[in-house]
Each structure stands twice: as C-alpha cells, then as structure tokens.
Amino acid sequence: MAHWLMKSEPFKYSWEQMQKDGRTHWDGVRNYQASNNLKAMRLGDECFFYHSNEGLAIVGIVEIVKEYYPDPSDPAGKFGMVDVAPRRSVPIPVTLAAIKAEPALAELPLVRQSRLSVSPVPDDAWVLLCKMGGL
C-alpha cells in the first residue's frame, strides 16, 4: 500500500464536508505531476487530507475507493480523477509549521514542492506524521 497527501482549500471542500459526503471524486487536478500521482494510486491506498490556504494542516485520512478515470470537467480529456472516502480524523491536526520544524520531513514534497496538490508520502514519513497527529 502506498501513501499520499491531497490538498484541499477548506472554503472549497473541507474535511467536514468530506465526512458528511462519505465519498467523493477528487477532480480538477490540472498539474501533470499531480495527475501522474493520481494515476499511481491503487485501491486501498491511504491519503492525508490536508487543508491548504487556510488551516495549513493535515486533518484527516481518506482511502482510495476508485482508481484513476477520466475527469469529465476536462474538455481536452488529458486529466483524470480518483474517488476517495473518509477513514478517520487526525486527533491533533499536523500543521505545516510542525512539519517544517521536523528535520526528518525536510524532503517531503509538501515541504519541497509547496504548490503540488497531490503528492506521495514515504512510509517512514507516514508513520511519523501519524504519530505527530495522535494516531
């Protein structure tokens, strides 16, 4: 199983809305690197749900429940999406400041490529981030 991080601006789609919906498609990705990350996701992979722009913190974990398929909102047909379902909240939101303060996470794409909306999380970083979040 691989691990990932997906960013969402809470005023557009929040963790609370994700929990209420119970399942959604992760669409609108228009960056090729982020799109390639979506293509690499497999059923059962887990993703941190990260509030970007406001909040700046990992607040939940979602699971991939449908692998990559075409995004109908892309008229050119170049990009796709995956479906996700909420699995659990993070008891202690893990802030970007806390992530940047942890030397073991210095290479995390969230730190190195701050604009990337979908990124991989190495297993050792996943374990550390879960611990930091009280899981």
Side-chain angles (χ1 to χ4, degrees):
M1 174 189 342
H3 297 104
W4 307 91
L5 182 137
M6 303 172 108
K7 292 181 174 182
S8 182
E9 296 177 353
F11 69 91
K12 289 185 180 177
Y13 195 80
S14 68
W15 175 244
E16 291 75 19
Q17 188 65 50
M18 173 79 250
Q19 291 178 297
K20 181 180 175 187
D21 291 347
R23 179 181 176 141
T24 194
H25 50 267
W26 205 266
D27 64 350
V29 173
R30 298 296 183 265
N31 171 285
Y32 285 102
Q33 187 176 4
S35 180
N36 287 337
N37 289 333
L38 289 177
K39 288 177 186 175
M41 293 176 172
R42 297 294 169 252
L43 288 178
D45 282 359
E46 291 183 312
C47 309
F48 285 126
F49 190 105
Y50 179 86
H51 276 167
S52 65
N53 201 24
E54 5 172 310
L56 301 176
I58 294 170
V59 294
I61 295 176
V62 298
E63 180 181 337
I64 302 302
V65 294
K66 183 175 181 181
E67 293 181 11
Y68 190 86
Y69 60 102
D71 182 344
S73 72
D74 174 23
K78 294 179 182 179
F79 295 97
M81 58 190 184
V82 297
D83 287 1
V84 298
R87 289 301 170 243
R88 59 192 171 278
S89 295
V90 174
I92 305 164
V94 183
T95 65
L96 182 59
I99 293 167
K100 286 182 173 182
E102 175 53 59
L105 299 173
E107 297 301 313
L108 197 64
L110 176 65
V111 174
R112 297 182 52 81
Q113 296 173 280
S114 61
R115 294 183 49 87
L116 190 60
S117 64
V118 179
S119 59
V121 177
D123 291 342
D124 58 339
W126 180 269
V127 170
L128 177 55
L129 288 163
C130 284
K131 183 178 178 182
M132 291 169 68
L135 296 171

PDB file of all heavy atoms in Angstrom, residues 25-56:
ATOM      1  N   HIS A  25     -15.401  12.297  -5.567  1.00  0.00           N
ATOM      2  CA  HIS A  25     -14.335  12.177  -6.565  1.00  0.00           C
ATOM      3  C   HIS A  25     -13.370  13.345  -6.374  1.00  0.00           C
ATOM      4  O   HIS A  25     -13.766  14.433  -5.991  1.00  0.00           O
ATOM      5  CB  HIS A  25     -14.890  12.117  -7.994  1.00  0.00           C
ATOM      6  CG  HIS A  25     -15.876  13.194  -8.310  1.00  0.00           C
ATOM      7  ND1 HIS A  25     -17.229  13.021  -8.160  1.00  0.00           N
ATOM      8  CD2 HIS A  25     -15.709  14.453  -8.756  1.00  0.00           C
ATOM      9  CE1 HIS A  25     -17.850  14.124  -8.512  1.00  0.00           C
ATOM     10  NE2 HIS A  25     -16.953  15.012  -8.865  1.00  0.00           N
ATOM     11  N   TRP A  26     -12.092  13.064  -6.593  1.00  0.00           N
ATOM     12  CA  TRP A  26     -11.047  14.077  -6.462  1.00  0.00           C
ATOM     13  C   TRP A  26     -10.733  14.553  -7.864  1.00  0.00           C
ATOM     14  O   TRP A  26      -9.955  13.943  -8.577  1.00  0.00           O
ATOM     15  CB  TRP A  26      -9.813  13.481  -5.773  1.00  0.00           C
ATOM     16  CG  TRP A  26      -9.012  14.526  -5.089  1.00  0.00           C
ATOM     17  CD1 TRP A  26      -7.948  15.198  -5.596  1.00  0.00           C
ATOM     18  CD2 TRP A  26      -9.221  15.030  -3.774  1.00  0.00           C
ATOM     19  NE1 TRP A  26      -7.481  16.105  -4.676  1.00  0.00           N
ATOM     20  CE2 TRP A  26      -8.259  16.017  -3.548  1.00  0.00           C
ATOM     21  CE3 TRP A  26     -10.146  14.749  -2.774  1.00  0.00           C
ATOM     22  CZ2 TRP A  26      -8.170  16.713  -2.349  1.00  0.00           C
ATOM     23  CZ3 TRP A  26     -10.056  15.441  -1.587  1.00  0.00           C
ATOM     24  CH2 TRP A  26      -9.068  16.412  -1.392  1.00  0.00           C
ATOM     25  N   ASP A  27     -11.385  15.638  -8.273  1.00  0.00           N
ATOM     26  CA  ASP A  27     -11.280  16.112  -9.640  1.00  0.00           C
ATOM     27  C   ASP A  27     -10.626  17.484  -9.692  1.00  0.00           C
ATOM     28  O   ASP A  27     -10.246  18.041  -8.665  1.00  0.00           O
ATOM     29  CB  ASP A  27     -12.666  16.154 -10.294  1.00  0.00           C
ATOM     30  CG  ASP A  27     -13.602  17.149  -9.607  1.00  0.00           C
ATOM     31  OD1 ASP A  27     -13.269  17.665  -8.520  1.00  0.00           O
ATOM     32  OD2 ASP A  27     -14.675  17.403 -10.166  1.00  0.00           O
ATOM     33  N   GLY A  28     -10.480  18.011 -10.897  1.00  0.00           N
ATOM     34  CA  GLY A  28      -9.965  19.362 -11.073  1.00  0.00           C
ATOM     35  C   GLY A  28      -8.454  19.481 -11.034  1.00  0.00           C
ATOM     36  O   GLY A  28      -7.923  20.583 -11.134  1.00  0.00           O
ATOM     37  N   VAL A  29      -7.732  18.371 -10.917  1.00  0.00           N
ATOM     38  CA  VAL A  29      -6.263  18.418 -10.898  1.00  0.00           C
ATOM     39  C   VAL A  29      -5.780  18.717 -12.315  1.00  0.00           C
ATOM     40  O   VAL A  29      -6.129  18.003 -13.259  1.00  0.00           O
ATOM     41  CB  VAL A  29      -5.683  17.080 -10.377  1.00  0.00           C
ATOM     42  CG1 VAL A  29      -4.170  17.062 -10.515  1.00  0.00           C
ATOM     43  CG2 VAL A  29      -6.106  16.855  -8.934  1.00  0.00           C
ATOM     44  N   ARG A  30      -4.991  19.781 -12.460  1.00  0.00           N
ATOM     45  CA  ARG A  30      -4.519  20.187 -13.788  1.00  0.00           C
ATOM     46  C   ARG A  30      -3.003  20.335 -13.860  1.00  0.00           C
ATOM     47  O   ARG A  30      -2.475  20.969 -14.756  1.00  0.00           O
ATOM     48  CB  ARG A  30      -5.191  21.495 -14.223  1.00  0.00           C
ATOM     49  CG  ARG A  30      -6.693  21.400 -14.357  1.00  0.00           C
ATOM     50  CD  ARG A  30      -7.100  20.433 -15.464  1.00  0.00           C
ATOM     51  NE  ARG A  30      -8.531  20.383 -15.658  1.00  0.00           N
ATOM     52  CZ  ARG A  30      -9.343  19.485 -15.092  1.00  0.00           C
ATOM     53  NH1 ARG A  30      -8.852  18.564 -14.280  1.00  0.00           N
ATOM     54  NH2 ARG A  30     -10.630  19.505 -15.333  1.00  0.00           N
ATOM     55  N   ASN A  31      -2.317  19.748 -12.932  1.00  0.00           N
ATOM     56  CA  ASN A  31      -0.851  19.735 -12.918  1.00  0.00           C
ATOM     57  C   ASN A  31      -0.423  18.321 -13.312  1.00  0.00           C
ATOM     58  O   ASN A  31      -0.936  17.347 -12.764  1.00  0.00           O
ATOM     59  CB  ASN A  31      -0.362  20.108 -11.519  1.00  0.00           C
ATOM     60  CG  ASN A  31       1.123  19.905 -11.334  1.00  0.00           C
ATOM     61  OD1 ASN A  31       1.590  18.786 -11.209  1.00  0.00           O
ATOM     62  ND2 ASN A  31       1.855  21.004 -11.314  1.00  0.00           N
ATOM     63  N   TYR A  32       0.508  18.211 -14.266  1.00  0.00           N
ATOM     64  CA  TYR A  32       0.887  16.890 -14.772  1.00  0.00           C
ATOM     65  C   TYR A  32       1.520  15.997 -13.708  1.00  0.00           C
ATOM     66  O   TYR A  32       1.254  14.806 -13.660  1.00  0.00           O
ATOM     67  CB  TYR A  32       1.802  17.014 -16.000  1.00  0.00           C
ATOM     68  CG  TYR A  32       1.032  17.410 -17.229  1.00  0.00           C
ATOM     69  CD1 TYR A  32       1.050  18.724 -17.690  1.00  0.00           C
ATOM     70  CD2 TYR A  32       0.258  16.481 -17.911  1.00  0.00           C
ATOM     71  CE1 TYR A  32       0.318  19.096 -18.809  1.00  0.00           C
ATOM     72  CE2 TYR A  32      -0.480  16.845 -19.033  1.00  0.00           C
ATOM     73  CZ  TYR A  32      -0.437  18.150 -19.474  1.00  0.00           C
ATOM     74  OH  TYR A  32      -1.166  18.511 -20.571  1.00  0.00           O
ATOM     75  N   GLN A  33       2.356  16.565 -12.847  1.00  0.00           N
ATOM     76  CA  GLN A  33       2.979  15.757 -11.795  1.00  0.00           C
ATOM     77  C   GLN A  33       1.917  15.255 -10.811  1.00  0.00           C
ATOM     78  O   GLN A  33       1.906  14.084 -10.433  1.00  0.00           O
ATOM     79  CB  GLN A  33       4.053  16.553 -11.063  1.00  0.00           C
ATOM     80  CG  GLN A  33       4.834  15.700 -10.078  1.00  0.00           C
ATOM     81  CD  GLN A  33       5.976  16.464  -9.425  1.00  0.00           C
ATOM     82  OE1 GLN A  33       6.155  17.660  -9.634  1.00  0.00           O
ATOM     83  NE2 GLN A  33       6.752  15.766  -8.625  1.00  0.00           N
ATOM     84  N   ALA A  34       1.004  16.123 -10.408  1.00  0.00           N
ATOM     85  CA  ALA A  34      -0.080  15.716  -9.503  1.00  0.00           C
ATOM     86  C   ALA A  34      -0.970  14.677 -10.189  1.00  0.00           C
ATOM     87  O   ALA A  34      -1.396  13.703  -9.566  1.00  0.00           O
ATOM     88  CB  ALA A  34      -0.899  16.933  -9.074  1.00  0.00           C
ATOM     89  N   SER A  35      -1.229  14.865 -11.474  1.00  0.00           N
ATOM     90  CA  SER A  35      -2.034  13.909 -12.232  1.00  0.00           C
ATOM     91  C   SER A  35      -1.356  12.543 -12.294  1.00  0.00           C
ATOM     92  O   SER A  35      -2.011  11.506 -12.148  1.00  0.00           O
ATOM     93  CB  SER A  35      -2.286  14.450 -13.639  1.00  0.00           C
ATOM     94  OG  SER A  35      -3.056  13.536 -14.388  1.00  0.00           O
ATOM     95  N   ASN A  36      -0.050  12.535 -12.509  1.00  0.00           N
ATOM     96  CA  ASN A  36       0.688  11.267 -12.507  1.00  0.00           C
ATOM     97  C   ASN A  36       0.604  10.584 -11.147  1.00  0.00           C
ATOM     98  O   ASN A  36       0.543   9.353 -11.064  1.00  0.00           O
ATOM     99  CB  ASN A  36       2.145  11.472 -12.923  1.00  0.00           C
ATOM    100  CG  ASN A  36       2.272  11.742 -14.405  1.00  0.00           C
ATOM    101  OD1 ASN A  36       1.409  11.379 -15.196  1.00  0.00           O
ATOM    102  ND2 ASN A  36       3.358  12.392 -14.790  1.00  0.00           N
ATOM    103  N   ASN A  37       0.579  11.371 -10.075  1.00  0.00           N
ATOM    104  CA  ASN A  37       0.413  10.794  -8.735  1.00  0.00           C
ATOM    105  C   ASN A  37      -0.969  10.161  -8.599  1.00  0.00           C
ATOM    106  O   ASN A  37      -1.101   9.076  -8.030  1.00  0.00           O
ATOM    107  CB  ASN A  37       0.651  11.857  -7.658  1.00  0.00           C
ATOM    108  CG  ASN A  37       2.112  12.254  -7.572  1.00  0.00           C
ATOM    109  OD1 ASN A  37       3.003  11.476  -7.903  1.00  0.00           O
ATOM    110  ND2 ASN A  37       2.371  13.474  -7.141  1.00  0.00           N
ATOM    111  N   LEU A  38      -2.005  10.815  -9.135  1.00  0.00           N
ATOM    112  CA  LEU A  38      -3.337  10.221  -9.117  1.00  0.00           C
ATOM    113  C   LEU A  38      -3.345   8.898  -9.881  1.00  0.00           C
ATOM    114  O   LEU A  38      -3.954   7.923  -9.441  1.00  0.00           O
ATOM    115  CB  LEU A  38      -4.371  11.168  -9.731  1.00  0.00           C
ATOM    116  CG  LEU A  38      -4.768  12.413  -8.952  1.00  0.00           C
ATOM    117  CD1 LEU A  38      -5.749  13.253  -9.768  1.00  0.00           C
ATOM    118  CD2 LEU A  38      -5.368  12.062  -7.605  1.00  0.00           C
ATOM    119  N   LYS A  39      -2.668   8.864 -11.020  1.00  0.00           N
ATOM    120  CA  LYS A  39      -2.606   7.640 -11.842  1.00  0.00           C
ATOM    121  C   LYS A  39      -1.935   6.496 -11.095  1.00  0.00           C
ATOM    122  O   LYS A  39      -2.246   5.332 -11.333  1.00  0.00           O
ATOM    123  CB  LYS A  39      -1.846   7.901 -13.139  1.00  0.00           C
ATOM    124  CG  LYS A  39      -2.592   8.743 -14.127  1.00  0.00           C
ATOM    125  CD  LYS A  39      -1.727   9.005 -15.352  1.00  0.00           C
ATOM    126  CE  LYS A  39      -2.418   9.967 -16.299  1.00  0.00           C
ATOM    127  NZ  LYS A  39      -1.568  10.338 -17.445  1.00  0.00           N
ATOM    128  N   ALA A  40      -1.009   6.815 -10.201  1.00  0.00           N
ATOM    129  CA  ALA A  40      -0.257   5.791  -9.468  1.00  0.00           C
ATOM    130  C   ALA A  40      -1.027   5.236  -8.268  1.00  0.00           C
ATOM    131  O   ALA A  40      -0.637   4.215  -7.702  1.00  0.00           O
ATOM    132  CB  ALA A  40       1.083   6.362  -9.002  1.00  0.00           C
ATOM    133  N   MET A  41      -2.106   5.875  -7.886  1.00  0.00           N
ATOM    134  CA  MET A  41      -2.879   5.437  -6.719  1.00  0.00           C
ATOM    135  C   MET A  41      -3.620   4.137  -7.014  1.00  0.00           C
ATOM    136  O   MET A  41      -4.106   3.925  -8.121  1.00  0.00           O
ATOM    137  CB  MET A  41      -3.873   6.519  -6.303  1.00  0.00           C
ATOM    138  CG  MET A  41      -3.209   7.752  -5.768  1.00  0.00           C
ATOM    139  SD  MET A  41      -4.441   9.026  -5.401  1.00  0.00           S
ATOM    140  CE  MET A  41      -3.405  10.226  -4.586  1.00  0.00           C
ATOM    141  N   ARG A  42      -3.697   3.284  -5.987  1.00  0.00           N
ATOM    142  CA  ARG A  42      -4.376   1.996  -6.093  1.00  0.00           C
ATOM    143  C   ARG A  42      -5.454   1.877  -5.019  1.00  0.00           C
ATOM    144  O   ARG A  42      -5.382   2.536  -3.980  1.00  0.00           O
ATOM    145  CB  ARG A  42      -3.380   0.845  -5.958  1.00  0.00           C
ATOM    146  CG  ARG A  42      -2.330   0.810  -7.059  1.00  0.00           C
ATOM    147  CD  ARG A  42      -2.967   0.523  -8.417  1.00  0.00           C
ATOM    148  NE  ARG A  42      -2.038   0.724  -9.515  1.00  0.00           N
ATOM    149  CZ  ARG A  42      -2.097   1.735 -10.383  1.00  0.00           C
ATOM    150  NH1 ARG A  42      -3.028   2.646 -10.276  1.00  0.00           N
ATOM    151  NH2 ARG A  42      -1.227   1.825 -11.367  1.00  0.00           N
ATOM    152  N   LEU A  43      -6.429   1.029  -5.272  1.00  0.00           N
ATOM    153  CA  LEU A  43      -7.483   0.786  -4.287  1.00  0.00           C
ATOM    154  C   LEU A  43      -6.868   0.469  -2.929  1.00  0.00           C
ATOM    155  O   LEU A  43      -5.929  -0.326  -2.851  1.00  0.00           O
ATOM    156  CB  LEU A  43      -8.367  -0.384  -4.720  1.00  0.00           C
ATOM    157  CG  LEU A  43      -9.303  -0.137  -5.887  1.00  0.00           C
ATOM    158  CD1 LEU A  43     -10.064  -1.416  -6.221  1.00  0.00           C
ATOM    159  CD2 LEU A  43     -10.276   0.992  -5.600  1.00  0.00           C
ATOM    160  N   GLY A  44      -7.366   1.100  -1.905  1.00  0.00           N
ATOM    161  CA  GLY A  44      -6.885   0.853  -0.550  1.00  0.00           C
ATOM    162  C   GLY A  44      -5.752   1.749  -0.108  1.00  0.00           C
ATOM    163  O   GLY A  44      -5.432   1.794   1.081  1.00  0.00           O
ATOM    164  N   ASP A  45      -5.097   2.461  -1.055  1.00  0.00           N
ATOM    165  CA  ASP A  45      -4.064   3.412  -0.639  1.00  0.00           C
ATOM    166  C   ASP A  45      -4.693   4.455   0.274  1.00  0.00           C
ATOM    167  O   ASP A  45      -5.867   4.814   0.113  1.00  0.00           O
ATOM    168  CB  ASP A  45      -3.450   4.124  -1.851  1.00  0.00           C
ATOM    169  CG  ASP A  45      -2.449   3.279  -2.612  1.00  0.00           C
ATOM    170  OD1 ASP A  45      -2.184   2.125  -2.207  1.00  0.00           O
ATOM    171  OD2 ASP A  45      -1.928   3.778  -3.635  1.00  0.00           O
ATOM    172  N   GLU A  46      -3.907   4.944   1.221  1.00  0.00           N
ATOM    173  CA  GLU A  46      -4.386   5.969   2.146  1.00  0.00           C
ATOM    174  C   GLU A  46      -3.741   7.312   1.818  1.00  0.00           C
ATOM    175  O   GLU A  46      -2.594   7.369   1.386  1.00  0.00           O
ATOM    176  CB  GLU A  46      -4.080   5.590   3.583  1.00  0.00           C
ATOM    177  CG  GLU A  46      -4.887   4.399   4.080  1.00  0.00           C
ATOM    178  CD  GLU A  46      -4.616   4.077   5.526  1.00  0.00           C
ATOM    179  OE1 GLU A  46      -3.429   4.009   5.914  1.00  0.00           O
ATOM    180  OE2 GLU A  46      -5.588   3.891   6.272  1.00  0.00           O
ATOM    181  N   CYS A  47      -4.501   8.367   2.046  1.00  0.00           N
ATOM    182  CA  CYS A  47      -4.043   9.729   1.760  1.00  0.00           C
ATOM    183  C   CYS A  47      -4.350  10.634   2.946  1.00  0.00           C
ATOM    184  O   CYS A  47      -5.460  10.587   3.487  1.00  0.00           O
ATOM    185  CB  CYS A  47      -4.787  10.299   0.553  1.00  0.00           C
ATOM    186  SG  CYS A  47      -4.808   9.276  -0.896  1.00  0.00           S
ATOM    187  N   PHE A  48      -3.383  11.457   3.274  1.00  0.00           N
ATOM    188  CA  PHE A  48      -3.674  12.521   4.221  1.00  0.00           C
ATOM    189  C   PHE A  48      -4.544  13.550   3.516  1.00  0.00           C
ATOM    190  O   PHE A  48      -4.326  13.880   2.344  1.00  0.00           O
ATOM    191  CB  PHE A  48      -2.393  13.207   4.701  1.00  0.00           C
ATOM    192  CG  PHE A  48      -1.590  12.408   5.678  1.00  0.00           C
ATOM    193  CD1 PHE A  48      -0.253  12.141   5.433  1.00  0.00           C
ATOM    194  CD2 PHE A  48      -2.153  11.932   6.852  1.00  0.00           C
ATOM    195  CE1 PHE A  48       0.503  11.422   6.339  1.00  0.00           C
ATOM    196  CE2 PHE A  48      -1.406  11.208   7.764  1.00  0.00           C
ATOM    197  CZ  PHE A  48      -0.073  10.954   7.504  1.00  0.00           C
ATOM    198  N   PHE A  49      -5.533  14.060   4.206  1.00  0.00           N
ATOM    199  CA  PHE A  49      -6.389  15.153   3.731  1.00  0.00           C
ATOM    200  C   PHE A  49      -5.822  16.410   4.376  1.00  0.00           C
ATOM    201  O   PHE A  49      -5.859  16.559   5.598  1.00  0.00           O
ATOM    202  CB  PHE A  49      -7.834  14.895   4.157  1.00  0.00           C
ATOM    203  CG  PHE A  49      -8.840  15.810   3.525  1.00  0.00           C
ATOM    204  CD1 PHE A  49      -9.658  15.353   2.511  1.00  0.00           C
ATOM    205  CD2 PHE A  49      -8.993  17.120   3.967  1.00  0.00           C
ATOM    206  CE1 PHE A  49     -10.619  16.192   1.933  1.00  0.00           C
ATOM    207  CE2 PHE A  49      -9.938  17.961   3.402  1.00  0.00           C
ATOM    208  CZ  PHE A  49     -10.751  17.503   2.378  1.00  0.00           C
ATOM    209  N   TYR A  50      -5.293  17.302   3.552  1.00  0.00           N
ATOM    210  CA  TYR A  50      -4.587  18.487   4.026  1.00  0.00           C
ATOM    211  C   TYR A  50      -5.369  19.740   3.670  1.00  0.00           C
ATOM    212  O   TYR A  50      -5.724  19.944   2.510  1.00  0.00           O
ATOM    213  CB  TYR A  50      -3.203  18.532   3.368  1.00  0.00           C
ATOM    214  CG  TYR A  50      -2.358  19.719   3.736  1.00  0.00           C
ATOM    215  CD1 TYR A  50      -1.567  19.713   4.877  1.00  0.00           C
ATOM    216  CD2 TYR A  50      -2.324  20.851   2.928  1.00  0.00           C
ATOM    217  CE1 TYR A  50      -0.774  20.806   5.210  1.00  0.00           C
ATOM    218  CE2 TYR A  50      -1.544  21.948   3.248  1.00  0.00           C
ATOM    219  CZ  TYR A  50      -0.763  21.917   4.391  1.00  0.00           C
ATOM    220  OH  TYR A  50       0.017  22.990   4.720  1.00  0.00           O
ATOM    221  N   HIS A  51      -5.659  20.561   4.673  1.00  0.00           N
ATOM    222  CA  HIS A  51      -6.294  21.857   4.430  1.00  0.00           C
ATOM    223  C   HIS A  51      -5.216  22.845   3.994  1.00  0.00           C
ATOM    224  O   HIS A  51      -4.322  23.174   4.767  1.00  0.00           O
ATOM    225  CB  HIS A  51      -6.983  22.379   5.688  1.00  0.00           C
ATOM    226  CG  HIS A  51      -8.358  21.841   5.882  1.00  0.00           C
ATOM    227  ND1 HIS A  51      -9.032  21.984   7.066  1.00  0.00           N
ATOM    228  CD2 HIS A  51      -9.193  21.175   5.056  1.00  0.00           C
ATOM    229  CE1 HIS A  51     -10.231  21.426   6.959  1.00  0.00           C
ATOM    230  NE2 HIS A  51     -10.351  20.924   5.743  1.00  0.00           N
ATOM    231  N   SER A  52      -5.322  23.297   2.759  1.00  0.00           N
ATOM    232  CA  SER A  52      -4.363  24.282   2.256  1.00  0.00           C
ATOM    233  C   SER A  52      -4.998  25.668   2.274  1.00  0.00           C
ATOM    234  O   SER A  52      -6.200  25.811   2.480  1.00  0.00           O
ATOM    235  CB  SER A  52      -3.921  23.918   0.835  1.00  0.00           C
ATOM    236  OG  SER A  52      -4.999  23.999  -0.064  1.00  0.00           O
ATOM    237  N   ASN A  53      -4.188  26.649   2.070  1.00  0.00           N
ATOM    238  CA  ASN A  53      -4.598  28.043   2.017  1.00  0.00           C
ATOM    239  C   ASN A  53      -5.036  28.578   3.383  1.00  0.00           C
ATOM    240  O   ASN A  53      -4.494  29.554   3.853  1.00  0.00           O
ATOM    241  CB  ASN A  53      -5.681  28.276   0.962  1.00  0.00           C
ATOM    242  CG  ASN A  53      -5.774  29.720   0.533  1.00  0.00           C
ATOM    243  OD1 ASN A  53      -4.825  30.455   0.642  1.00  0.00           O
ATOM    244  ND2 ASN A  53      -6.930  30.117   0.039  1.00  0.00           N
ATOM    245  N   GLU A  54      -6.015  27.946   4.033  1.00  0.00           N
ATOM    246  CA  GLU A  54      -6.372  28.301   5.406  1.00  0.00           C
ATOM    247  C   GLU A  54      -6.271  27.035   6.237  1.00  0.00           C
ATOM    248  O   GLU A  54      -6.659  25.968   5.786  1.00  0.00           O
ATOM    249  CB  GLU A  54      -7.788  28.882   5.542  1.00  0.00           C
ATOM    250  CG  GLU A  54      -8.605  28.903   4.333  1.00  0.00           C
ATOM    251  CD  GLU A  54     -10.050  29.315   4.555  1.00  0.00           C
ATOM    252  OE1 GLU A  54     -10.733  28.793   5.441  1.00  0.00           O
ATOM    253  OE2 GLU A  54     -10.480  30.154   3.789  1.00  0.00           O
ATOM    254  N   GLY A  55      -5.735  27.164   7.416  1.00  0.00           N
ATOM    255  CA  GLY A  55      -5.577  25.997   8.271  1.00  0.00           C
ATOM    256  C   GLY A  55      -4.197  25.394   8.174  1.00  0.00           C
ATOM    257  O   GLY A  55      -3.536  25.182   9.163  1.00  0.00           O
ATOM    258  N   LEU A  56      -3.757  25.127   6.955  1.00  0.00           N
ATOM    259  CA  LEU A  56      -2.423  24.583   6.688  1.00  0.00           C
ATOM    260  C   LEU A  56      -2.084  23.422   7.616  1.00  0.00           C
ATOM    261  O   LEU A  56      -1.121  23.476   8.376  1.00  0.00           O
ATOM    262  CB  LEU A  56      -1.354  25.669   6.784  1.00  0.00           C
ATOM    263  CG  LEU A  56      -1.522  26.862   5.836  1.00  0.00           C
ATOM    264  CD1 LEU A  56      -0.459  27.907   6.100  1.00  0.00           C
ATOM    265  CD2 LEU A  56      -1.495  26.419   4.387  1.00  0.00           C
TER     266      LEU A  56
END
